[in-house]
Amino acid sequence: QVQLVESGGGLVQAGGSLSLSCAASGSMISVRATMGWYRQAPGKQRELVATITTSGRTNYADSVKGRFTISRENGKNTVSLQMNSLKPEDTAVYYCNWIDLSRVYNYWGQGTQVTVSS
């Protein structure tokens, strides 16, 4: 199993910045896996924000490209999301995700609220 603990988030004005961090632990932590961030706004489906593989290959949603940066420290089993130039439409609960290469084992953090005021 994998446990994911998120930190960061909060309230920020439009144009501001926030940083999220997620620490992974558990018996499967040495398994190669993709980590990432997803978000869910009220009344909407959960959507991908950004992912990063063990080798550092990244993937971003078009809506955050150029504003958000995902990074990973494999030795510390952490993944971070630096969010700049935040917009009100970025308001959502952000979830950390860990999924192994076979896509059989898929774990989620508890979520952290990000609110961007206009």
Side-chain angles (χ1 to χ4, degrees), residues 22-101:
C22 174
S25 62
S27 59
M28 295 187 63
I29 204 61
S30 61
V31 172
R32 293 182 65 187
T34 295
M35 296 186 72
W37 293 93
Y38 290 71
R39 67 187 182 187
Q40 187 167 19
K44 295 187 177 181
Q45 289 188 330
R46 190 172 298 187
E47 63 178 6
L48 177 144
V49 176
T51 60
I52 185 167
T53 67
T54 303
S55 60
R57 187 173 67 232
T58 59
N59 180 45
Y60 292 93
D62 288 343
S63 60
V64 307
K65 284 180 180 177
R67 300 188 297 122
F68 291 12
T69 302
I70 190 170
S71 60
R72 180 171 182 169
E73 290 192 58
N74 290 325
K76 295 183 179 181
N77 299 313
T78 61
V79 63
S80 299
L81 185 70
Q82 178 64 41
M83 304 182 291
N84 298 327
S85 302
L86 282 161
K87 305 175 181 180
E89 50 263 44
D90 294 318
T91 295
V93 177
Y94 283 68
Y95 295 90
C96 180
N97 178 258
W98 183 104
I99 187 167
D100 76 311
L101 297 186

Side-chain angles (χ1 to χ4, degrees), residues 2-9 20-25 36-40 46 92-98 106-114:
V2 174
Q3 293 80 43
L4 302 171
V5 179
E6 299 133 336
S7 60
L20 305 181
S21 185
C22 174
S25 62
W37 293 93
Y38 290 71
R39 67 187 182 187
Q40 187 167 19
R46 190 172 298 187
V93 177
Y94 283 68
Y95 295 90
C96 180
N97 178 258
W98 183 104
N106 188 14
Y107 297 96
W108 295 92
Q110 79 282 0
T112 185
Q113 178 70 46
V114 171

